[in-house]
Amino acid sequence: MAKKQVKSKERVRDHGEVFTNEREVNAMLDLVKNETENIESTFLEPACGDGNFLSEILKRKLNIVSSRYKNHLDDYEMYSIIAVTSLYGVDILQDNVEACIERLFNIWNEEYTKILKSSSSDKAREACRYILTKNILCGDALTMLKNDGKPIVFAEWKFVNGTMLKRRDYELSRILAAEQIVATEEINLFNFDEEVEKQTRESLDVPIKEYPLTDYREVQKYE
Ligand SMILES: C[S@@+](CC[C@H](N)C(=O)[O-])C[C@H]1O[C@@H](n2cnc3c(N)ncnc32)[C@H](O)[C@@H]1O
């Protein structure tokens, strides 16, 4: 049965909540098909609801992970986690955020358990869930503030030396400001001061927190 696009009149009135159906989601994702099939390409859905876009992207990425690594179980586990680290979402409603995290976790866990069977581990499950709770956040995508008034902060996850993971946290407003500079440079090729642009970009590219390098199955031990 097709999923309902509207939960209540009040939610439509107060938050413009009308969910996109699967056919439209996939048609839109097909416009950037290569990126959706690149395990590491990052996506941010700024009004993610319960994750209609993110869940389809995760399924596409996991299909690629499976086609490449289903006979190499350690690699399957690590690359499927890399796919999870690449997805970000914000929604203003806490219940949507929780539903989105649960949905993405279940998609990942179902595939992971099917492929790894008795080699699957609860540590990897915990790591996956933890990463999702850092990547799918409750807040206002327009003000880029959380509901408590503090800035929305996203974690960047970088794999180093195989299975080691480095986490750096950045404010969303600064990530987007840096992206804006790159976009402006591309449009304005002949009309910008390269040195000033470079310095501005570098000043924005400063994490607010760095975490120790750790095995990816143990990221949850740092807060
Ligand atoms: C039209 S629905 C789209 C949901 C999902 N992206 C989809 O396509 O199915 C809009 C979503 O944006 C959320 N929303 C409304 N205002 C927002 C804001 N300022 N910041 C973040 N999310 C917001 C709503 O709670 C709702 O889930």
Side-chain angles (χ1 to χ4, degrees), residues 49-116:
D50 63 357
N52 283 330
F53 283 86
L54 296 176
S55 58
E56 287 303 320
I57 298 168
L58 182 58
K59 285 180 198 165
R60 290 176 181 215
K61 287 179 176 236
L62 291 179
N63 279 342
I64 299 295
V65 178
S66 169
S67 69
R68 290 190 195 151
Y69 305 111
K70 65 172 179 292
N71 297 321
H72 305 274
L73 299 186
D74 288 349
D75 287 343
Y76 179 89
E77 183 180 275
M78 185 178 77
Y79 281 99
S80 71
I81 293 279
I82 293 177
V84 170
T85 62
S86 73
L87 304 178
Y88 296 87
V90 177
D91 200 277
I92 207 158
L93 295 175
Q94 181 65 32
D95 62 347
N96 279 342
V97 170
E98 284 164 18
C100 183
I101 291 173
E102 208 50 36
R103 186 171 175 191
L104 296 177
F105 177 78
N106 288 336
I107 289 168
W108 175 85
N109 191 33
E110 205 171 292
E111 280 301 298
Y112 172 69
T113 309
K114 191 172 86 192
I115 289 177
L116 269 85

Side-chain angles (χ1 to χ4, degrees), residues 22-39:
E22 202 179 317
R23 197 181 57 183
E24 273 76 41
V25 168
N26 277 307
M28 287 167 78
L29 293 180
D30 284 344
L31 299 172
V32 287
K33 192 165 187 289
N34 287 345
E35 297 298 334
T36 64
E37 292 175 349
N38 179 342
I39 300 166

